[in-house]
């Protein structure tokens, strides 16, 4: 019965702590590692109250009291440190002594209570948190055993002292198990917070991973799919993404109203955009929705839109959901910013490619017209034919709508160019083609400038006839294009300047093709000096 009395009084303390752990204030104080002095004073006063109150609720046995004072002192001191354990031990011990100064156990209880506060402080600093419960139980048993020894040692009436010890020692010592229960209750609060936070962080990351592919195509259809994923994972009735003016995507109840036209954002959403603060409403009554969470999305330090989550039921926006969506909004903001940067990078690359290509067209035209002008007086018929060829070549470029062409079409352009140059150089120039029946799509004017460079800077300066070989071969999953000439070889200095980006202007074709290939395929030209002439190699993949 006395053991049951100890557990009953310990259960009262456990119940009080359980209800306290459900309050935001207590939760906030418990999970903090650095507490304000006022917060520490509140916790200290709480456990002092527990320890003192246990004296009043104790069961009188032969002039002594069966109580849970030591349990309160050790639990508070082990969990929260010296500013809780030591005051609780000293004050509760003094209180026990003062209300029964001549009692057979008053001095023993004062000493053991004070020692309990000091022992709790030692455990708090010297033991690992995971072992607090174990050490708390052992410390509680030790303090109760010490109390029994002190009762016998300090009592003048040994017979009474032995009787008291015989009656209360087992329930008091066994009751120390409750210290472990109290410590676990408070510690589980911290772990519960961490577990909830971990689950919410995992959920946010899962949603971010699922939505990442759609942010790469930052348009309405992809954002609608993003809303669908968020709605499924959060069990919401509707989810929307907006910019600072319009609803970009909406999925859920009432979705049919958002299919064809954009809608202006609401006043609450405008408030979130303007203030940059989240808005929570658990008592909403708009279109059947009673709970709404609006989280601002940020790009480059400014609000670029919002994420909105709707529920039919009231009070569905709980702290765990709010914390998860804050983390999710940060991930979404980062994804949208990265997506926009990728789009800008792609647009920049495309503009750069267009600029490089526009530089090559006039360069080729200038050389072609020079070749034709040379033939006008000598071979007018051949000049007329070449003019027709050049007209077809230019007409094709003007009428071309696609950025990419079949490599065989590019090679036809090369053949047109070679025809013009062979008419100009006569027997001095021989050009051969070794081309597989392959059809990758490549940008226009990718091979012709390299052939032009081989003729103008390799064959033309040489006194001997020269040969240019153009090869297109499949190489595993990609295609190898080789332009080789037997004329004057390129200098190592020119190769170094090409790779360093300091090539002279008269090598504009070589430099621009190198830059374009690097932008498109990730690796540029491979140039090798031969015993006689130069070899230029590059690789292409199938572009879509």
């Amino acid at each position: 019965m006395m053991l049951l009395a100890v557990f009953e009084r310990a259960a009262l303390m456990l119940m009080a702590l359980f209800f306290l752990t459900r309050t935001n204030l207590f939760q906030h104080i418990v999970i903090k590692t650095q507490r304000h002095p006022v917060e520490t004073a509140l916790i200290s006063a709480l456990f002092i109250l527990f320890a003192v109150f246990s004296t009043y609720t104790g069961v009188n046995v032969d002039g002594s009291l069966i109580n849970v004072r030591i349990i309160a002192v050790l639990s508070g001191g082990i969990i929260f440190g010296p500013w809780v354990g030591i005051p609780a031990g000293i004050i509760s011990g003094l209180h026990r002594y003062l209300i029964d100064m001549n009692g057979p156990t008053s001095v023993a209880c004062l000493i053991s209570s004070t020692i309990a506060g000091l022992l709790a402080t030692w455990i708090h600093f010297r033991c690992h948190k995971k072992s607090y419960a174990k050490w708390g139980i052992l410390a509680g048993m030790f303090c109760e055993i010490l109390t029994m020894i002190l009762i016998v040692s300090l009592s003048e009436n040994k017979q009474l002292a032995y009787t008291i010890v015989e009656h209360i020692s087992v329930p008091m010592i066994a009751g120390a198990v409750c210290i472990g229960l109290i410590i676990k209750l408070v510690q589980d609060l911290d772990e519960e917070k961490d577990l909830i936070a971990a689950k919410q962080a995992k959920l946010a990351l899962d949603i971010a991973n699922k939505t990442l592919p759609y942010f790469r195509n930052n348009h309405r259809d992809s954002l609608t799919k993003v809303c669908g994923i968020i709605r499924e994972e959060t069990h919401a009735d509707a989810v929307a993404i907006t910019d600072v003016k319009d609803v970009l995507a909406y999925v859920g109840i009432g979705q049919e109203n958002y299919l064809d036209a954009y809608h202006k954002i609401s006043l609450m959403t405008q408030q979130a955009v303007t203030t940059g603060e989240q808005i929570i409403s658990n008592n909403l009554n708009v279109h059947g929705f009673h709970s709404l969470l609006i989280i601002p999305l940020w790009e480059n330090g400014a609000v670029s839109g919002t994420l909105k989550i709707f529920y039919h039921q009231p009070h569905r926006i709980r702290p765990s959901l709010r914390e998860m969506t804050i983390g999710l909004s940060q991930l979404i903001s980062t994804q949208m910013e990265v997506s926009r940067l990728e789009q800008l990078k792609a647009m920049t690359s495309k503009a750069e490619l267009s600029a490089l290509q526009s530089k090559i067209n006039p360069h080729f035209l200038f050389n072609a017209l020079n070749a034709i002008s040379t033939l006008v007086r000598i071979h007018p018929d051949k000049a007329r034919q070449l003019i027709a060829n050049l007209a077809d070549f230019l007409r094709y470029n003007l009428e071309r709508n696609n950025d990419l062409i079949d490599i065989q079409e590019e090679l036809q352009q090369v053949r047109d160019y070679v025809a013009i140059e062979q008419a100009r150089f006569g027997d001095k120039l021989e050009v051969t083609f070794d081309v597989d029946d392959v059809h990758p799509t490549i940008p226009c004017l990718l091979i012709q400038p390299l052939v032009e460079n081989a003729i103008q800077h390799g064959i033309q300066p040489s006194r001997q006839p020269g040969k240019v070989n153009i090869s297109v071969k499949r190489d595993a999953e990609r295609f190898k294009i080789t332009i080789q000439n037997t004329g004057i070889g390129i200098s190592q200095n020119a190769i170094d300047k090409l790779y360093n980006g300091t090539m002279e202007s008269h090598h504009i074709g070589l430099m621009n093709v190198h830059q374009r290939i690097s932008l498109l395929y990730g690796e540029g030209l491979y140039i090798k000096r031969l015993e006689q002439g130069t070899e230029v190699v590059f690789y292409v993949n199938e572009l879509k």
Side-chain angles (χ1 to χ4, degrees):
M1 290 298 295
M2 282 185 275
L3 179 60
L4 181 60
V6 172
F7 282 117
E8 284 178 348
R9 282 144 185 81
L12 288 174
M13 191 187 309
L14 277 167
M15 287 177 60
L17 281 171
F18 176 79
F19 286 115
L20 283 171
T21 57
R22 301 301 102 185
T23 64
N24 290 332
L25 175 62
F26 193 81
Q27 290 177 355
H28 178 71
I29 294 174
V30 169
I31 64 177
K32 290 175 68 173
T33 54
Q34 298 293 329
R35 299 181 184 89
H36 190 275
V38 174
E39 295 172 333
T40 302
L42 286 173
I43 295 294
S44 181
L46 176 66
F47 279 89
I48 289 171
L49 179 63
F50 283 151
V52 170
F53 184 72
S54 69
T55 299
Y56 289 110
T57 59
V59 178
N60 193 310
V61 178
D62 300 321
S64 67
L65 291 173
I66 291 181
N67 60 75
V68 292
R69 181 181 58 257
I70 295 296
I71 294 175
V73 173
L74 282 169
S75 299
I78 291 172
I79 298 170
F80 297 103
W83 293 106
V84 175
I86 292 175
I90 293 174
I91 292 173
S92 64
L94 282 172
H95 173 265
R96 173 67 180 86
Y97 173 75
L98 291 174
I99 64 171
D100 187 22
M101 295 181 62
N102 297 317
T105 63
S106 57
V107 176
C109 289
L110 169 62
I111 296 173
S112 63
S113 296
T114 304
I115 291 175
L118 296 172
L119 187 57
T121 299
W122 183 87
I123 293 172
H124 176 80
F125 286 116
R126 298 300 297 271
C127 299
H128 194 278
K129 284 186 176 182
K130 292 183 178 179
S131 303
Y132 276 0
K134 177 184 69 177
W135 286 104
I137 294 172
L138 293 175
M141 291 180 173
F142 169 80
C143 288
E144 296 297 359
I145 291 171
L146 177 63
T147 302
M148 302 305 134
I149 294 173
L150 290 173
I151 289 173
V152 173
S153 301
L154 300 176
S155 177
E156 294 179 359
N157 187 341
K158 299 298 182 182
Q159 183 61 41
L160 179 60
Y162 282 121
T163 301
I164 292 172
V165 170
E166 181 181 353
H167 289 161
I168 71 171
S169 59
V170 172
M172 293 291 283
I173 294 171
V177 174
C178 296
I179 297 172
L181 297 176
I182 293 173
I183 291 175
K184 287 297 293 180
L185 173 66
V186 178
Q187 282 185 330
D188 285 347
L189 174 64
D190 197 7
E191 293 176 1
E192 181 183 353
K193 282 284 186 180
D194 290 340
L195 182 61
I196 293 173
K199 287 182 177 179
Q200 298 303 329
K202 183 179 183 301
L203 178 58
L205 287 173
D206 287 343
I207 294 174
N209 287 332
K210 291 179 180 178
T211 57
L212 178 59
Y214 301 109
F215 281 108
R216 290 174 180 155
N217 301 314
N218 194 12
H219 52 71
R220 190 173 185 179
D221 290 341
S222 61
L223 291 179
T224 299
K225 292 178 181 177
V226 169
C227 289
I229 293 171
I230 296 174
R231 183 195 178 200
E232 181 181 353
E233 296 293 335
T234 58
H235 306 290
D237 292 308
V239 173
I241 292 177
T242 78
D243 59 16
V244 295
K245 294 181 179 179
D246 301 309
V247 178
L248 300 180
Y250 181 99
V251 171
I253 297 173
Q255 182 177 348
E256 62 277 2
N257 298 322
Y258 291 84
L259 293 179
D260 299 324
Y262 285 100
H263 293 253
K264 295 293 182 182
I265 61 175
S266 65
L267 292 177
M268 291 181 69
T269 309
Q270 290 176 11
Q271 181 183 346
V273 170
T274 303
T275 63
E277 298 178 355
Q278 60 180 280
I279 294 178
I280 297 174
S281 177
N282 277 312
N283 295 295
L284 190 71
N285 189 11
V286 176
H287 303 301
F289 296 115
H290 293 88
S291 299
L292 170 63
L293 174 62
I294 305 176
I295 300 289
L297 303 175
W298 297 78
E299 287 186 50
N300 297 321
V303 177
S304 60
T306 64
L307 169 66
K308 303 173 67 175
I309 300 178
F310 301 82
Y311 292 93
H312 271 318
Q313 299 87 355
H315 304 290
R316 285 296 304 273
I317 311 301
R318 300 186 179 95
S320 58
L321 175 64
R322 182 177 61 85
E323 293 299 324
M324 186 279 292
T325 51
I326 289 175
L328 178 61
S329 69
Q330 292 170 346
L331 292 170
I332 290 176
S333 297
T334 301
Q335 289 179 347
M336 294 180 72
E337 193 164 346
V338 169
S339 173
R340 206 172 299 277
L341 288 173
E342 287 180 351
Q343 290 176 355
L344 289 173
K345 182 179 177 182
M347 291 171 62
T348 302
S349 297
K350 187 173 183 179
E352 187 172 349
L353 287 172
S354 298
L356 293 174
Q357 185 164 306
S358 68
K359 291 180 180 179
I360 293 175
N361 280 310
H363 190 60
F364 162 70
L365 183 59
F366 175 78
N367 285 287
L369 290 175
N370 270 342
I372 293 171
S373 66
T374 304
L375 293 171
V376 167
R377 292 188 300 273
I378 305 172
H379 300 290
D381 292 338
K382 186 177 289 186
R384 282 193 296 270
Q385 180 60 47
L386 292 178
I387 290 172
N389 291 340
L390 179 59
D392 291 340
F393 178 84
L394 294 176
R395 186 182 301 111
Y396 174 82
N397 278 274
L398 290 172
E399 293 177 353
R400 179 173 52 85
N401 294 321
N402 298 323
D403 292 330
L404 302 176
I405 62 171
D406 189 296
I407 196 170
Q408 300 297 338
E409 296 181 38
E410 167 75 357
L411 290 170
Q412 183 57 49
Q413 292 183 359
V414 173
R415 289 185 176 93
D416 289 336
Y417 170 77
V418 167
I420 296 172
E421 293 293 63
Q422 282 182 319
R424 178 184 173 194
F425 289 103
D427 295 337
K428 186 178 180 181
L429 174 62
E430 179 185 354
V431 180
T432 60
F433 290 83
D434 182 12
V435 179
D436 287 352
D437 186 20
V438 293
H439 297 272
T441 53
I442 64 172
C444 184
L445 291 175
L446 206 61
I447 300 176
Q448 183 271 330
L450 299 179
V451 176
E452 179 181 351
N453 189 78
I455 295 172
Q456 298 296 327
H457 300 287
I459 305 301
Q460 182 178 356
S462 175
R463 295 181 179 180
Q464 302 296 324
K467 182 178 180 180
V468 177
N469 181 63
I470 301 162
S471 169
V472 177
K473 299 289 181 182
R474 180 179 291 277
D475 184 37
E477 297 300 319
R478 56 183 183 172
F479 305 92
K480 179 181 180 182
I481 293 91
T482 306
I483 295 92
Q484 191 178 85
N485 73 82
T486 60
I488 296 177
I490 190 171
S491 67
Q492 185 61 49
N493 183 49
I495 296 175
D496 294 338
K497 287 183 177 180
L498 175 71
Y499 292 145
N500 294 331
T502 58
M503 179 69 75
E504 293 88 349
S505 59
H506 63 277
H507 282 292
I508 185 174
L510 192 66
M511 184 67 188
N512 282 305
V513 172
H514 176 67
Q515 291 177 343
R516 294 169 68 203
I517 293 172
S518 297
L519 283 169
L520 288 164
Y521 303 106
E523 53 183 333
L525 299 174
Y526 294 96
I527 302 178
K528 182 169 69 172
R529 299 173 62 202
L530 304 176
E531 186 174 335
Q532 183 178 2
T534 305
E535 180 182 81
V536 179
V537 175
F538 67 95
Y539 295 89
V540 301
N541 302 316
E542 182 67 47
L543 292 176
K544 301 296 184 183

